[in-house]
Amino acid sequence: MFRTALRNVLAHKARLLMTVLAVMLGVAFVSGTLVFTSTISAAQKKSSEKGFTGVDIAIQPHRQDGDKGNPGDAPKLTQRLLDQAAAVPGAAGATGAVNGFAAIADKQGKLIGEGFNSTGANYYPGTGGKDARYPLKSGRAPHGAGEIALDAKTAERGGYKAGDTVRVSVDGPVLEQKLAGIFTTDDGNVSAGGSLALFDTPTAQKLYGKPGEFSEIYVKAAAGTSQAALKSAVEKILPADAEAITGKQLADDQARMIAQDQDAQRTILLTFAGIALFVGIFIIANTFTMLVAQRTKELALMRAVGASRRQVTRSVLIEAFLVGTAAGVTGLVAGIGIGSGLRSLLASNGAPLPDGPLVIEPSTIVVSLAVGIVVTMLSAWLPGRRAAKIPPVAAMNSVHAVPTTRSLVVRNSIGGALTALGAAVVLTASASNTMGLGAGVVLIGVFVLTPLLSRPLIAAASPVLRLFGMPGKLAQQNAVRNPRRTAATASALMIGLTLITGMTVIAGSVQQAIDKMATSSMKADYVVSMASMTSLSPDVEKKLAAHPDVTASSPVRMSPSRVDGDFKDLSGVNGATIGKLTKLDFTAGSFEGLSGDKVVIDDALARTHHWKLGSSVPVTFEDGKKGTLTVSGVYKGNDLMRGMMVDLRTIAPHQTEISDRQVMVKTKGGAGESVKDSLRKALGDNPAIQIQTKQDISNSIAKGINLLLNILYGLLAMAVIVAVLGVINTLAMSVFERQQEIGMLRAIGLDRKGIKRMVRLESLVISLFGGVMGIALGVFFGWAAGDLIKKGINTYELVLPWGRMGLFLLLAAVVGVLAALWPARRAAKLNMLSAIKAE
């Protein structure tokens, strides 16, 4: 039986090549995903471990929300604590670290790196006046308020060398700094594409609001002292609001976080790999079903000469094993290339990826081969069982097993039940994972029902097909002749287009909701903030307020407080101007008279705490002083504006450090490029500050959505490619199966051009059937998901992207035309006499 199976594989090379390609693409997707995530994870872990080299114990601030104390109290790590840590038994020394945000501009004034990865720290000279964390490559360490040092990669990207003047920003105002030195570092942030600027310790403490304090204290163990022993010694000197963590635990924690991030990324990518495989299963099952049908006499003859049912099934499964093994090996090789190419592509587009070798884990090899073999064998199992049921008497005639009416009734009943069950789950789902489960059940149900649905939908295309004469009529009849085959062929394309359409509908609807939210809640022409979303210096608002084009401005200043027993941020705004800058829908009260002990709150807070207009709200301010606020307005909150707002003068006396989250600005002539340029110049052409209009805010959010959507399109293109192979496969085997019929058509006068047109139209109508089904299901899922999204975005409304849906339908038509090229050419080349004699 093994020799028989091997002979059959080698005898049908062209037909099985398509099956190998379908499985190979799915396997390549899986193996490429595993290689990519393993490579990035290993590089980040290695970079993380290097970052903690020389750190045996880290002393960090530690305070939970439930701890006692004032809302604004921050644990303090002082010079005195550092000196005590350096003197504990078993310590070889201690280093104080200060860190924060530091944006570096290149010589053209543009920000180097991404805002979130632009960091600043202190150079803490130890033995010999050097900081072991940052070996100097050229120049010297920074001294005084006017000097910095840069990491070598940032200096190279900015075109800087020691002695140059560098423009730096930590909270808004631009600092002109002399580049004292250039250093190398194993900092994971830098290796991932970020930048690092070093100041001397007093300057860093002043810039980051920690005069005489440190963000962390690192303690190095003396020779022969373990990290555990040193930790015990350090814990004896710690204040109540600080904790000691070993360097190993820090590295392990960061590695765990990296693994979690990679797991999420891997899950997303593997989901799409699963989709490609899911589509491939239909093609493989369809291929083996047709191969078995075409070999009815051969298999029946095997039964007649003594082969058992089990042997026949085993023969088909052995074929599947050989095909799956070949697909698994080639898919693994292709996947390694995909993983390497994906990393290079992202790196070339500026993605912050760490350096490191390509990692191919043994589990990747095992999983790839297992996926290829298991998927193929599972897909071939049902056709194998059918093959085993062929009676020996079939060897005496040309009767092929035709599905009975009863089997179609059972199939339609099961499909209807699954579709109804899945639709009920989707419509009643309260969580995304439940909706995903329901969507999967609907897809399976509709797939089971596609033979039933194919007849009326394809019949609807009859008037158009008749325009092409006899080839069109024959194409329509061929498409509905075997509804099971048509369903299996169309379903592959249907699944891909369902996902693409559903995500497009959701993305377009979310984008419109964000546009509507920005337009409806803001009167301000501009919102000024840091590119890193860190705090702005109060000087920024002062400069903007003094600008001749500005008619109204207000900072948004956050102050941590305890409100009604819970920690919440109070948003400080200019009570006199905030009404001119926002356009909120108040259900009670207004911004009018927002001063003193007045507070306006969003409707969610009002419902949660049962507050209403005039309610008294107990508050403990940042410095621990208590007070009572009176609700003077309740507004409908959204993702852009929510929370509790008070006048700036109410929270100012309780703040030790004053900084703004953003500044809202209204100008005389409204939003415009010339006004924006004027505001930018007034702020010193600072690359770290972003000045955004309402449309800019919406576009920045849309950028993330569109990036995700484009990635999705790219990933799902794999499923569409697999679907194309499926259509080619089906048509090619259909042509082989209908050789006698095609020969007869040629004999009675249908020319080669007519044969080609017939096959192409058949392919086109099947592909369009799959496209229509996919788009309809995608719209349904997009509409159903809207109920979940509305809970988070109250401006969400369903938007149907008619233009893109038209393109998707056109894509389905193109798939049909391209897939038919080879089968149509093959059908037209058949010798009519040989074809008529074919059995």
Side-chain angles (χ1 to χ4, degrees):
M1 296 307 296
F2 179 81
R3 286 197 300 271
T4 301
L6 182 61
R7 186 200 65 195
N8 284 327
V9 169
L10 297 176
H12 304 106
K13 300 183 188 71
R15 277 176 278 168
L16 289 174
L17 176 63
M18 295 297 178
T19 307
V20 171
L21 285 173
V23 183
M24 185 200 75
L25 285 171
V27 173
F29 208 162
V30 172
S31 59
T33 296
L34 294 175
V35 168
F36 174 73
T37 52
S38 296
T39 299
I40 300 304
S41 181
Q44 288 181 334
K45 185 177 180 181
K46 185 177 179 181
S47 177
S48 169
E49 289 171 351
K50 285 183 178 180
F52 292 113
T53 302
V55 177
D56 292 305
I57 298 295
I59 301 175
Q60 298 178 337
H62 175 72
R63 196 165 78 74
Q64 307 266 342
D65 281 354
D67 292 346
K68 294 181 180 179
N70 300 325
D73 285 348
K76 295 177 173 57
L77 306 181
T78 62
Q79 182 67 44
R80 181 172 176 272
L81 179 60
L82 186 147
D83 294 337
Q84 288 177 324
V88 299
T95 301
V98 183
N99 49 60
F101 171 74
I104 310 297
D106 61 18
K107 291 186 176 180
Q108 284 71 45
K110 296 181 179 178
L111 181 67
I112 298 177
E114 297 291 333
F116 289 102
N117 295 325
S118 302
T119 56
N122 67 313
Y123 189 92
Y124 191 91
T127 306
K130 296 181 179 180
D131 190 332
R133 299 173 298 170
Y134 309 115
L136 288 168
K137 183 179 180 181
S138 63
R140 56 175 175 78
H143 294 292
E147 294 185 349
I148 64 165
L150 288 180
D151 70 88
K153 288 187 177 180
T154 300
E156 182 180 354
R157 283 186 290 171
Y160 291 119
K161 60 182 183 297
D164 288 347
T165 299
V166 180
R167 300 174 76 244
V168 186
S169 174
V170 297
D171 62 356
V174 176
L175 306 173
E176 300 280 348
Q177 302 286 99
K178 179 183 177 182
L179 182 57
I182 297 172
F183 60 92
T184 58
T185 178
D186 290 324
D187 187 287
N189 186 62
V190 173
S191 64
S195 64
L196 177 60
L198 299 180
F199 306 88
D200 68 3
T201 297
T203 303
Q205 290 174 329
K206 181 180 178 183
L207 289 172
Y208 298 122
K210 296 179 178 292
E213 299 174 23
F214 300 96
S215 305
E216 293 181 283
I217 294 174
Y218 302 133
V219 187
K220 186 168 179 59
T225 303
S226 67
Q227 289 188 353
L230 183 59
K231 180 182 177 183
S232 298
V234 169
E235 283 176 338
K236 295 176 182 177
I237 64 162
L238 292 183
D241 52 10
E243 62 178 340
I245 304 173
T246 64
K248 183 179 183 305
Q249 184 179 339
L250 286 172
D252 290 344
D253 289 345
Q254 186 153 344
R256 194 178 303 112
M257 291 174 62
I258 291 170
Q260 289 174 351
D261 291 342
Q262 291 299 315
D263 284 344
Q265 186 181 58
R266 184 180 303 198
T267 300
I268 293 171
L269 292 173
L270 286 176
T271 298
F272 294 113
I275 292 167
L277 280 175
F278 188 53
V279 173
I281 286 173
F282 294 125
I283 297 168
I284 300 162
N286 200 25
T287 300
F288 276 95
T289 299
M290 295 181 70
L291 286 174
V292 169
Q294 290 171 6
R295 288 162 47 203
T296 300
K297 290 187 68 174
E298 174 189 330
L299 295 173
L301 189 60
M302 289 173 61
R303 293 274 286 113
V305 297
S308 66
R309 288 188 175 186
R310 184 174 295 179
Q311 286 179 310
V312 171
T313 303
R314 193 183 304 156
S315 171
V316 176
L317 289 178
I318 290 172
E319 287 183 47
F321 174 79
L322 295 173
V323 170
T325 302
V329 172
T330 53
L332 173 62
V333 174
I336 293 171
I338 289 173
S340 176
L342 185 58
R343 185 180 68 163
S344 300
L345 177 64
L346 292 176
S348 65
N349 288 328
L353 300 178
D355 298 327
L358 198 67
V359 176
I360 305 168
E361 296 181 352
S363 59
T364 300
I365 299 173
V366 172
V367 168
S368 300
L369 292 176
V371 165
I373 294 170
V374 170
V375 166
T376 309
M377 292 188 71
L378 283 176
S379 301
W381 177 70
L382 189 58
R385 284 195 62 195
R386 286 179 186 158
K389 292 181 180 179
I390 296 173
V393 71
M396 311 305 170
N397 55 50
S398 301
V399 177
H400 287 227
V402 179
T404 63
T405 303
R406 181 176 176 277
S407 69
L408 286 174
V409 170
V410 171
R411 175 171 178 154
N412 293 337
S413 300
I414 294 172
L418 287 174
T419 304
L421 175 63
V425 172
V426 168
L427 294 175
T428 58
S430 58
S432 57
N433 54 351
T434 307
M435 177 169 283
L437 176 64
V441 174
V442 169
L443 271 178
I444 294 172
V446 172
F447 167 69
V448 175
L449 279 176
T450 41
L452 177 66
L453 298 172
S454 64
R455 287 185 178 275
L457 288 177
I458 292 176
S462 295
V464 177
L465 290 173
R466 284 175 187 153
L467 297 176
F468 295 92
M470 185 55 66
K473 185 177 180 180
L474 290 170
Q476 189 261 337
Q477 291 175 349
N478 289 334
V480 297
R481 178 190 300 177
N482 191 332
R484 289 175 183 264
R485 182 191 303 158
T486 298
T489 306
S491 292
L493 191 59
M494 177 189 76
I495 293 168
L497 287 181
T498 295
L499 295 164
I500 291 174
T501 304
M503 289 303 298
T504 302
V505 168
I506 292 171
S509 301
V510 168
Q511 179 56 48
Q512 178 173 285
I514 293 167
D515 286 339
K516 190 174 179 181
M517 188 188 301
T519 304
S520 63
S521 63
M522 287 178 56
K523 291 181 185 176
D525 295 315
Y526 300 100
V527 174
V528 180
S529 61
M530 295 292 285
S532 61
M533 303 308 292
T534 52
S535 298
L536 275 170
S537 167
D539 291 341
V540 172
E541 195 274 333
K542 292 176 183 176
K543 289 181 179 179
L544 290 170
H547 193 281
D549 289 332
V550 174
T551 58
S553 66
S554 172
V556 178
R557 190 171 297 166
M558 311 309 292
S559 177
S561 306
R562 193 190 295 270
V563 181
D564 200 21
D566 298 326
F567 279 107
K568 295 188 185 298
D569 282 328
L570 289 177
S571 299
V573 296
N574 188 328
T577 61
I578 188 66
K580 301 175 183 178
L581 299 165
T582 59
K583 188 167 55 177
L584 298 177
D585 185 6
F586 276 85
T587 58
S590 67
F591 278 126
E592 196 68 33
L594 183 62
S595 62
D597 66 347
K598 300 292 192 300
V599 60
V600 296
I601 60 174
D602 64 46
D603 52 349
L605 281 173
R607 286 192 300 270
T608 302
H609 294 273
H610 306 291
W611 293 331
K612 58 184 179 180
L613 200 65
S615 293
S616 295
V617 179
V619 59
T620 301
F621 291 103
E622 193 173 331
D623 59 356
K625 293 183 179 179
K626 299 182 183 298
T628 302
L629 300 175
T630 303
V631 177
S632 63
V634 179
Y635 65 94
K636 291 183 180 179
N638 56 54
D639 285 349
L640 297 180
M641 302 287 290
R642 63 172 59 185
M644 307 178 70
M645 295 188 219
V646 297
D647 188 71
L648 289 168
R649 291 168 294 182
T650 303
I651 61 172
H654 306 286
Q655 292 185 291
T656 54
E657 297 176 14
I658 296 178
S659 59
D660 301 326
R661 189 180 68 181
Q662 62 185 33
V663 179
M664 291 184 285
V665 178
K666 192 165 185 63
T667 58
K668 292 177 184 177
E673 284 302 317
S674 60
V675 178
K676 184 187 283 191
D677 289 340
S678 179
L679 295 177
R680 188 179 287 113
K681 287 179 181 177
L683 296 176
D685 286 325
N686 192 330
I689 292 180
Q690 56 183 9
I691 303 173
Q692 296 179 297
T693 63
K694 288 179 280 190
Q695 190 59 48
D696 291 336
I697 294 172
S698 180
N699 290 344
S700 66
I701 300 173
K703 185 179 179 182
I705 296 173
N706 288 333
L707 177 62
L708 178 63
L709 200 59
N710 288 335
I711 292 173
L712 179 70
Y713 286 161
L715 294 174
L716 290 178
M718 187 76 74
V720 174
I721 292 171
V722 174
V724 172
L725 292 175
V727 178
I728 295 173
N729 220 10
T730 301
L731 288 174
M733 287 189 286
S734 177
V735 167
F736 177 83
E737 193 177 78
R738 288 159 29 206
Q739 286 186 79
Q740 207 171 38
E741 174 189 320
I742 292 171
M744 189 65 70
L745 289 172
R746 290 274 289 112
I748 61 176
L750 190 64
D751 59 10
R752 290 185 175 182
K753 189 176 180 181
I755 294 291
K756 284 184 180 180
R757 183 175 296 171
M758 176 187 73
V759 176
R760 287 170 185 164
L761 288 173
E762 180 184 349
S763 174
L764 180 63
V765 76
I766 291 175
S767 296
L768 285 175
F769 166 62
V772 169
M773 292 289 293
I775 292 171
L777 280 173
V779 170
F780 169 72
F781 290 140
W783 168 76
D787 287 337
L788 289 181
I789 298 171
K790 278 182 183 178
K791 295 176 182 178
I793 306 176
N794 55 17
T795 54
Y796 182 90
E797 291 180 2
L798 181 69
V799 175
L800 295 181
W802 295 106
R804 289 202 179 189
M805 289 194 296
L807 284 175
F808 297 156
L809 200 58
L810 180 62
L811 171 66
V814 170
V815 165
V817 172
L818 293 178
L821 291 178
W822 178 60
R825 191 160 172 259
R826 182 182 176 186
K829 283 187 173 182
L830 285 175
N831 183 288
M832 68 177 75
L833 294 178
S834 299
I836 290 172
K837 291 190 297 180
E839 292 186 1

